[in-house]
Amino acid sequence: MAGRLEEAEALLEEVATTTDPDTLNARATLALARRRIEFAFDMLSEAATIYPEHAGLATNLGIAHGLLGRTEAAVICLGRAAALAPRNEEIKLALAQTLLSRGEVEEARAMTETVVHHEPRNARALLQLGAIEFTLGHTSAAETTLLRALEIAPDDPDALGNLSVLNLERGCLDEALSLAARAHLRAPLDTARLLHLAYCHAAIGLWPQAEATCQKLLAYAPAHVGAREILARVAIAKGEEDHGIAQLTEFVRAHKSDPTAALALARVLQLVGRLDESLALVGHVVHTRPENDAAKSLQAALELTLGQFPRPEPSASAPVRQIVVPPTMGALEFIALARLLLRLPSPQDVHVVAHPRYQGILANLAEQVILDEPRPAVSAIPLQTLLRVLPIDARNIADGIPYLRPEAELFSKWRNALAAFARPLVGIVWEGGALGLSMEQVAAAIPTFVTPVSLMSGAQRHNMKRWTRPIDAGVHIENPAEMIAAIGNLDAVVGPDSFVVHIAGALGVSGVVFVPRGYPWYWAQADGKPLWYPSFKVVVQERFGHWHGAIDEGRRQLEILLRKQLID
């Protein structure tokens, strides 16, 4: 490829003085490929002004704007280019990608779907659609689309890499590693592929391989922040916490002007539970780089983890009529924040725009809201913004629990189904991964006098071949309403931070949750009691990657909790 670029550049230099728009556009395309963004932009600015009807020039100008961080101008240019060449599907894909970078996920999805409809074998369009579906949390649709792309282009490193990320998220670690290795073989010079391979090695617990892969990357990219962060995480997983943090701290000091390095250290400090230090570091980044959205997001999460709630904004007194659940919001965050809808003065009059995967939960709120489509004429705010609109603090965030309510018919069905089994009935969940909680670890936390009820509904249900004691309730759970009704009939729930545990907490069902040292904000505690889900006991692992002590403590807490229920 490099040789071809040199050849193309030599040919175009021979016509460097021409004013032909196609030649100018070809030179600009080459400059963009060479990452000479400013040079390309200057050339395109002049050429696009002279030839405003040239779709190629408008397209490349939009791409240059995007690479320079000017997404608004990029959307305008690419929108004009699409209008000038309405049959050019590549322009539409570029516009969809820019919309995606601006957070307009649904719009990007609709445009990319149009391209796929017109060109069903366009591998790039399928790849982009698969990535968007994954961003929206549609894992099945993402997998189907990416597999279609891979059928058309079997060696495409992007398709292989994205499928690897998807499998990693689903806990299919061996498959994720295999796909990551294939993607790296197909694009051996791609640093992003090599970094992802190192991440997969770390996720599966292959520490020497993760270290070797990071060191390979650092050999030709010594200042690569991602590799430095993975090395620190690997050191911590191996029990070398001080060493890992010290090395990353030294790197950050040598790169004081790079906010990504400071944020990497902040995330590692958060990982090991040094939350105050992490917040101080992030606060410095926000102070010096107020435009850094990643820093502001991490700062907000750390403040909530430490029990610090935002003050209501003075301008937030206007009535709220429409709430939007961002398509990229995670399920656990959504369940934790859904309670805020019932804090509004008239929740039954509030219109909520949410993806169908969340509508099942909203339908089970203790007080109904109106599920709606976006209405441009109505002012809408994101769900998480209610933290700054309502008078919420550590003293009242748990008010109103339970805020989910099982459907009466489903509740009765599960009550009758479970009536034949001895109480107490304890729901269990687990997860995969080198650092996660296995089924065997959760099993060790279950006292002998209880009846365990498995709430696993995915592929990990098959783990019960190794432990036949639990009731396999998960096989009958196909939607949130079934899960809510089943959990509502249990005496307790035990497991790691998960969808099931959040549903139990929202129902006011008791339980024990196992969390890492750098636990998420919704497990913030005060005086040993969870702020968001007070019916639970939070057990924090003793050190990163080690759960033995936590399992023993969780079993003790569960026994206390269940015996107290018998007395009450």
Side-chain angles (χ1 to χ4, degrees):
M1 176 62 79
R4 286 295 183 184
L5 287 177
E6 297 284 358
E7 185 180 336
E9 193 166 46
L11 289 171
L12 289 170
E13 282 300 323
E14 296 178 9
V15 289
T17 58
T18 185
T19 58
D20 174 67
D22 291 331
T23 304
L24 290 170
N25 193 48
R27 292 184 65 201
T29 301
L30 184 60
L32 289 172
R34 290 281 202 182
R35 308 299 293 181
R36 299 169 64 190
I37 313 301
E38 294 284 359
F39 174 77
F41 179 78
D42 291 341
M43 184 190 306
L44 289 163
S45 297
E46 186 172 345
T49 303
I50 299 171
Y51 302 104
E53 308 303 316
H54 194 283
L57 289 170
T59 300
N60 274 334
L61 182 59
I63 292 171
H65 272 304
L67 291 171
L68 291 168
R70 298 190 284 263
T71 55
E72 184 66 32
V75 168
I76 293 171
C77 288
L78 290 168
R80 176 178 175 80
L84 289 169
R87 295 185 179 180
N88 190 316
E89 306 298 342
E90 295 303 312
I91 295 176
K92 293 175 186 174
L93 287 180
L95 176 56
Q97 186 62 45
T98 305
L99 289 170
L100 188 63
S101 69
R102 202 167 65 167
E104 299 177 30
V105 186
E106 292 290 359
E107 293 83 350
R109 179 176 182 266
M111 187 168 292
T112 307
E113 277 187 321
T114 301
V115 176
V116 171
H117 177 73
H118 291 156
E119 296 183 356
R121 293 190 61 79
N122 186 324
R124 183 187 165 203
L126 287 166
L127 180 62
Q128 185 162 301
L129 180 59
I132 292 172
E133 296 283 19
F134 182 68
T135 300
L136 290 168
H138 310 163
T139 53
S140 296
E143 184 176 29
T144 300
T145 306
L146 290 170
L147 287 172
R148 282 174 60 194
L150 207 58
E151 287 178 7
I152 298 166
D155 297 330
D156 187 290
D158 290 329
L160 291 165
N162 285 351
L163 277 169
S164 174
V165 173
L166 187 149
N167 277 279
L168 193 64
E169 290 287 324
R170 293 167 64 179
C172 304
L173 303 183
D174 291 330
E175 182 65 16
L177 178 59
S178 174
L179 289 163
R182 288 173 59 192
H184 172 58
L185 285 174
R186 298 303 176 187
L189 301 181
D190 188 329
T191 56
R193 298 284 165 243
L194 191 58
L195 183 70
H196 178 65
L197 180 59
Y199 193 91
C200 287
H201 280 140
I204 212 166
L206 301 173
W207 314 128
Q209 292 90 328
E211 284 183 303
T213 305
C214 286
Q215 294 296 354
K216 179 180 177 181
L217 176 53
L218 290 171
Y220 54 79
H224 198 289
V225 176
R228 298 280 180 178
E229 182 176 351
I230 290 178
L231 281 177
R233 289 171 177 262
V234 167
I236 291 165
K238 291 166 60 180
E240 303 168 1
E241 180 176 314
D242 292 341
H243 175 68
I245 292 176
Q247 282 200 323
L248 188 55
T249 301
E250 183 179 349
F251 174 76
V252 171
R253 286 172 178 164
H255 298 79
K256 292 180 180 178
S257 61
D258 184 0
T260 61
L263 291 180
L265 178 57
R267 287 191 295 269
V268 169
L269 290 170
Q270 179 189 29
L271 177 73
V272 299
R274 291 162 62 170
L275 303 177
D276 289 307
E277 295 174 62
S278 180
L279 180 58
L281 187 56
V282 174
H284 175 72
V285 176
V286 171
H287 178 72
T288 56
R289 303 290 180 92
E291 77 288 351
N292 192 310
D293 290 336
K296 289 188 286 187
S297 177
L298 182 54
Q299 181 185 46
L302 286 165
E303 287 174 343
L304 285 174
T305 307
L306 291 167
Q308 302 171 17
F309 287 74
R311 294 181 180 180
E313 297 174 350
S315 59
S317 57
V320 177
R321 297 299 182 194
Q322 182 167 269
I323 304 292
V324 176
V325 180
T328 55
M329 178 178 283
L332 308 190
E333 181 181 5
F334 168 73
I335 298 170
L337 293 175
R339 73 189 68 200
L340 302 180
L341 295 170
L342 305 186
R343 302 290 189 89
L344 295 168
S346 301
Q348 69 277 5
D349 297 328
V350 174
H351 295 249
V352 181
V353 179
H355 187 270
R357 64 179 172 146
Y358 292 149
Q359 291 179 6
I361 298 172
L362 291 170
N364 282 268
L365 285 175
E367 188 171 347
Q368 291 300 293
V369 295
I370 303 170
L371 301 178
D372 203 356
E373 297 295 325
R375 295 187 294 162
V378 179
S379 177
I381 66 170
L383 175 60
Q384 60 268 37
T385 305
L386 290 180
L387 283 170
R388 298 185 178 277
V389 171
L390 300 169
I392 300 296
D393 57 33
R395 295 167 296 178
N396 63 27
I397 189 60
D399 290 354
I401 292 178
Y403 56 92
L404 290 183
R405 178 178 54 199
E407 295 178 18
E409 185 176 342
L410 287 177
F411 184 83
S412 296
K413 184 190 84 169
W414 279 96
R415 181 186 59 200
N416 294 335
L418 293 169
F421 301 97
R423 287 188 177 273
L425 297 169
V426 176
I428 56 170
V429 286
W430 59 86
E431 62 187 20
L435 302 177
L437 274 173
S438 67
M439 182 193 69
E440 285 78 8
Q441 289 172 307
V442 174
I446 306 301
T448 56
F449 63 87
V450 309
T451 301
V453 180
S454 170
L455 299 170
M456 300 296 294
S457 57
Q460 292 182 17
R461 270 188 55 245
H462 301 298
N463 292 353
M464 285 190 295
K465 293 176 182 177
R466 306 192 302 268
W467 184 35
T468 57
R469 183 181 162 200
I471 300 166
D472 186 7
V475 71
H476 303 291
I477 297 174
E478 298 180 352
N479 53 58
E482 288 277 2
M483 183 68 79
I484 291 168
I487 294 173
N489 279 280
L490 300 177
D491 298 297
V493 168
V494 177
D497 182 31
S498 59
F499 179 82
V500 166
V501 168
H502 280 251
I503 293 294
L507 287 166
V509 173
S510 300
V512 174
V513 61
F514 299 99
V515 298
R517 289 171 64 190
Y519 49 84
W521 54 263
Y522 36 71
W523 291 114
Q525 302 175 73
D527 300 323
K529 185 176 182 180
L531 299 178
W532 293 73
Y533 297 118
S535 63
F536 265 75
K537 293 292 184 181
V538 178
V539 178
V540 184
Q541 65 181 162
E542 60 268 31
R543 71 182 180 89
F544 182 75
H546 292 261
W547 293 99
H548 304 295
I551 294 298
D552 292 340
E553 175 61 16
R555 182 187 180 94
R556 190 181 72 83
Q557 292 287 354
L558 181 60
E559 288 179 348
I560 293 172
L561 183 155
L562 293 173
R563 295 190 191 283
K564 183 176 185 299
Q565 286 183 357
L566 290 173
I567 295 172
D568 294 343

